Amino acid sequence: MAKSKKKSAKQEKPTQTAHVLTNASKQSASTTGATTPLKSIFINSPVYDLLHYFEKAPDQWAARYILILSSIILRTAVGLGGHSGYNKPPMHGDFEAQRHWMELTINLPTSEWYFFDLQYWGLDYPPLTAFHSWILGKIGSCFNPHWFALNTSRGLETNDLRFFMRITSIISELVCYIPGILLLANIFGKKFNLSRMDQIIFALIILTQPHLVLIDHGHFQYNSVMLGCFIYTIIELVQTHLVMASIWFVSCINFKQMGLYYSVFIFFYILSQLNNFQDLVSVGLSVIATQFIYLLPFVSHWPTTLPQIVHRIFPFNRGLFEDKVANFWCTTNVVVKYRELVSSSQLSKLALAATLISIVPVNIYIFYKLKKFSSTTNNNDKTIHVASNGDKNRISAMLYGFAYNALSFYLFSYQVHEKSILLPLCPILLLLLIKPHDITIIQWINNVGTFSLYPLLKKDDLILQYFVTSVLLNWLIGFKLVLPSFKNFNLNNLVMMVTYVAMIVYHVIDFTFDPPAKYPDLWVILNIGISFVAFGYAWLWLIYKIIKL
């Protein structure tokens, strides 16, 4: 008996020791913020099947390399198709506009940049776009001076020039946008407890969304530079680096004025994060200094150039909208002919009022919420490590705020282009990193966004690229995640399913029938009608999510 008691005592000791060690390790994990990553929503999806071989820590860099290489290949493949204005003289299109700005910036003094031949493709973007064009034009001239020879190079569309322009678009994205997305996925993954594999998968989903790829590398523009600056703004705001965030945001709006879609909310957001007057002064000086640096090349002729820059980048004389776009004004203009009822100046004031009415009350509500979250969040929590509930709420409110404001500007503001949908889609996509289980409705919004660009892409002979990229991405995510479920039937699922059916029917009609001769834009109007209804529902969904914060 004595022997057996001794034996059992010896067996218990290791168990008790192990128990103590386990408790100690749990306490250590809780103090360092280490937690078990959330279970992936992508298990059994094609993208997980492709990438799970790299799930081990040493192999995860290989997955990132594959992601970057795949992004380059996708963009190159899309670039083999048509582009805006190809073989369509005399104005051609956005491809020629970008080339022409390289031509004029490298051949003319800065005093003439915003005055030169405004009837052709006059420069109508802010200074950072002009500097970007100057750099690319200088590099291109080293290869072939004829590409950007003043006046004589107009309408040039040779294969070697097109190759150079396509490469510059890819490199611009590799420098500005792709690294930002990878870094942001890593930061959000740590704060919101996502596994490394899910961080890579979400980065893949964001980088392979068809809308930006088709516009920048098909239609041809450099929107990725503007969106890259916005992504770095988000990165700095997440880490409460308000001065750096301000510098990045000023860079964003100095590349394309469309970045102003985010401006009202970032004002409210930064105001909610200021702790003292010194912070306010620091942010204000950083904004003024950054803007001054961008305008410095024009300093010798400010009195004439600055008013012209403002006039060129805010063309109120162009009217409420130029082309068919899925916003409130263009959609309702089918029934209410605004231009016959009020003047252009009155329309601009009406659009401004509608935009402010839609965003100001919600921004005030988010401001109140942010102040509340800040009071419950310690400064020690505002790091790249796992976030507290208050910090998570702060970041969530920030992303919902940017998404809602940008979509409100798209729906109600003045002079909206169809490509402007890229601005709300960017922060909506980032919601995947904080609300993975909302992937069905988030991807639905992005699918509708791509669908709304179809009439523009059709003009550019990018129909094949449109369908292949759209189907490929949704297949990679997994149709079980993309399509609404009938098992959990609710209003969201009903709206999404009806929208998908309407989109399919639209494409069948577009392929099968020509529009009536009397109404040549009928199919385009049908497209914007479907898209507007979906965007309107997405707008209401964002309001609901903001109220639930």
Side-chain angles (χ1 to χ4, degrees):
M1 286 288 290
K3 284 183 181 179
S4 64
K5 283 182 181 179
K6 284 182 181 178
K7 212 171 192 179
S8 63
K10 284 180 183 178
Q11 289 173 347
E12 285 173 6
K13 279 184 181 179
T15 307
Q16 290 170 355
T17 306
H19 181 69
V20 171
L21 288 172
T22 303
N23 286 339
S25 64
K26 284 180 180 177
Q27 290 173 359
S28 173
S30 64
T31 55
T32 57
T35 54
T36 305
L38 298 172
K39 184 180 178 182
S40 175
I41 64 171
F42 295 104
I43 292 175
N44 299 324
S45 68
V47 68
Y48 190 86
D49 292 341
L50 287 169
L51 293 176
H52 80 277
Y53 299 103
F54 305 97
E55 200 159 5
K56 294 180 181 178
D59 299 326
Q60 286 169 3
W61 276 108
R64 289 184 175 89
Y65 295 143
I66 290 172
L67 167 58
I68 294 170
L69 288 172
S70 301
S71 299
I72 294 171
I73 292 169
L74 175 65
R75 285 151 177 76
T76 305
V78 169
L80 295 174
H83 59 71
S84 173
Y86 182 59
N87 283 335
K88 294 176 182 176
M91 293 299 290
H92 299 277
D94 278 344
F95 179 90
E96 169 61 11
Q98 304 292 337
R99 188 214 60 79
H100 178 62
W101 295 341
M102 297 176 197
E103 168 196 342
L104 70 89
T105 52
I106 66 171
N107 288 293
L108 298 172
T110 56
S111 59
E112 296 183 41
W113 282 6
Y114 285 91
F115 293 90
F116 182 73
D117 200 356
L118 302 182
Q119 297 304 312
Y120 186 57
W121 281 110
L123 185 56
D124 56 1
Y125 280 139
L128 198 53
T129 285
F131 304 149
H132 179 258
S133 299
W134 181 85
I135 292 170
L136 298 183
K138 285 291 186 182
I139 295 171
S141 294
C142 295
F143 294 102
N144 190 336
H146 298 292
W147 289 345
F148 308 111
L150 190 62
N151 295 325
T152 60
S153 61
R154 289 192 179 186
L156 198 63
E157 294 175 326
T158 57
N159 288 334
D160 55 350
L161 173 61
R162 293 168 69 196
F163 173 79
F164 171 78
M165 297 287 280
R166 295 294 195 192
I167 288 292
T168 61
S169 184
I170 292 173
I171 292 174
S172 296
E173 189 162 351
L174 279 171
V175 170
C176 296
Y177 184 70
I178 292 177
I181 292 296
L182 292 174
L183 178 58
L184 191 64
N186 181 256
I187 293 172
F188 275 37
K190 289 176 179 177
K191 282 188 172 290
F192 288 85
N193 198 27
L194 299 175
S195 69
R196 288 289 179 89
M197 187 49 53
D198 272 7
Q199 293 173 32
I200 295 169
I201 290 174
F202 280 126
L204 174 67
I205 292 172
I206 293 169
L207 292 176
T208 54
Q209 285 293 334
H211 37 73
L212 179 59
V213 175
L214 291 167
I215 292 299
D216 272 20
H217 305 281
H219 176 83
F220 197 81
Q221 284 190 333
Y222 295 99
N223 294 290
S224 61
V225 179
M226 171 192 65
L227 294 177
C229 291
F230 173 67
I231 293 297
Y232 280 103
T233 303
I234 294 287
I235 290 170
E236 300 299 342
L237 289 176
V238 167
Q239 300 174 78
T240 63
H241 301 158
L242 301 181
V243 170
M244 282 304 302
S246 302
I247 293 171
W248 278 113
F249 186 69
V250 173
S251 301
C252 172
I253 62 176
N254 269 273
F255 193 84
K256 285 199 172 186
Q257 60 269 39
M258 291 189 302
L260 289 168
Y261 281 24
Y262 306 126
S263 60
V264 176
F265 179 72
I266 199 171
F267 169 79
F268 276 93
Y269 179 85
I270 290 180
L271 196 62
S272 74
Q273 302 302 299
L274 297 175
N275 296 317
N276 49 55
F277 183 72
Q278 185 180 350
D279 290 345
L280 177 63
V281 172
S282 299
V283 169
L285 288 177
S286 66
V287 170
I288 294 169
T290 307
Q291 187 62 63
F292 178 78
I293 290 169
Y294 287 140
L295 293 175
L296 200 56
F298 307 96
V299 68
S300 63
H301 40 86
W302 273 2
T304 56
T305 304
L306 290 188
Q308 180 68 358
I309 292 175
V310 173
H311 174 71
R312 291 297 298 162
I313 65 178
F314 298 110
F316 291 110
N317 59 325
R318 291 186 186 176
L320 190 59
F321 49 85
E322 285 188 41
D323 217 336
K324 302 293 188 297
V325 57
N327 73 345
F328 174 81
W329 304 111
C330 188
T331 307
T332 56
N333 188 68
V334 176
V335 179
V336 182
K337 302 301 179 183
Y338 295 105
R339 290 166 180 163
E340 298 176 4
L341 297 175
V342 290
S343 67
S344 180
S345 62
Q346 290 173 320
L347 276 175
S348 65
K349 293 173 184 175
L350 185 62
L352 176 63
T355 307
L356 291 176
I357 289 170
S358 69
I359 62 175
V360 170
V362 175
N363 283 343
I364 293 172
Y365 176 80
I366 297 176
F367 176 83
Y368 164 76
K369 284 286 190 178
L370 286 167
K371 295 298 288 185
K372 186 179 178 181
F373 298 149
S374 295
S375 65
T376 60
T377 304
N378 296 322
N379 289 329
N380 293 333
D381 293 325
K382 295 177 182 179
T383 64
I384 299 182
H385 302 296
V386 177
S388 66
N389 286 334
D391 206 25
K392 287 179 180 178
N393 290 332
R394 174 182 68 88
I395 296 169
S396 299
M398 177 181 66
L399 288 185
Y400 282 119
F402 276 124
Y404 174 79
N405 275 256
L407 187 55
S408 296
F409 267 89
Y410 176 83
L411 290 175
F412 301 111
S413 66
Y414 195 81
Q415 255 299 299
V416 175
H417 296 265
E418 59 271 79
K419 291 156 286 192
S420 302
I421 192 59
L422 297 175
L423 284 103
L425 292 181
C426 182
I428 288 172
L429 262 176
L430 298 182
L431 293 173
L432 289 172
L433 296 167
I434 64 171
K435 300 289 183 183
H437 291 282
D438 282 340
I439 188 170
T440 303
I441 192 166
I442 292 171
Q443 186 55 33
W444 168 73
I445 297 170
N446 280 276
N447 285 334
V448 174
T450 304
F451 171 77
S452 72
L453 296 169
Y454 175 77
L456 175 69
L457 299 171
K458 186 179 179 181
K459 290 179 186 176
D460 299 337
D461 294 325
L462 291 167
I463 295 176
L464 175 65
Q465 287 80 357
Y466 163 83
F467 279 105
V468 171
T469 54
S470 298
V471 173
L472 177 64
L473 176 64
N474 286 281
W475 170 78
L476 277 173
I477 296 171
F479 290 116
K480 287 184 179 179
L481 291 174
V482 170
L483 296 177
S485 172
F486 285 109
K487 292 180 181 178
N488 301 319
F489 191 76
N490 53 41
L491 182 59
N492 284 353
N493 289 342
L494 176 62
V495 172
M496 287 187 283
M497 186 55 70
V498 169
T499 306
Y500 281 132
V501 171
M503 289 161 62
I504 292 170
V505 170
Y506 167 82
H507 282 305
V508 171
I509 293 173
D510 180 72
F511 275 120
T512 309
F513 306 102
D514 291 326
K518 189 178 179 180
Y519 304 106
D521 294 328
L522 185 59
W523 295 169
V524 178
I525 292 171
L526 179 59
N527 177 283
I528 67 170
I530 296 169
S531 302
F532 171 71
V533 171
F535 290 148
Y537 187 82
W539 185 74
L540 295 173
W541 176 76
L542 287 170
I543 293 176
Y544 170 78
K545 299 296 281 188
I546 289 168
I547 293 172
K548 296 285 285 184
L549 285 170

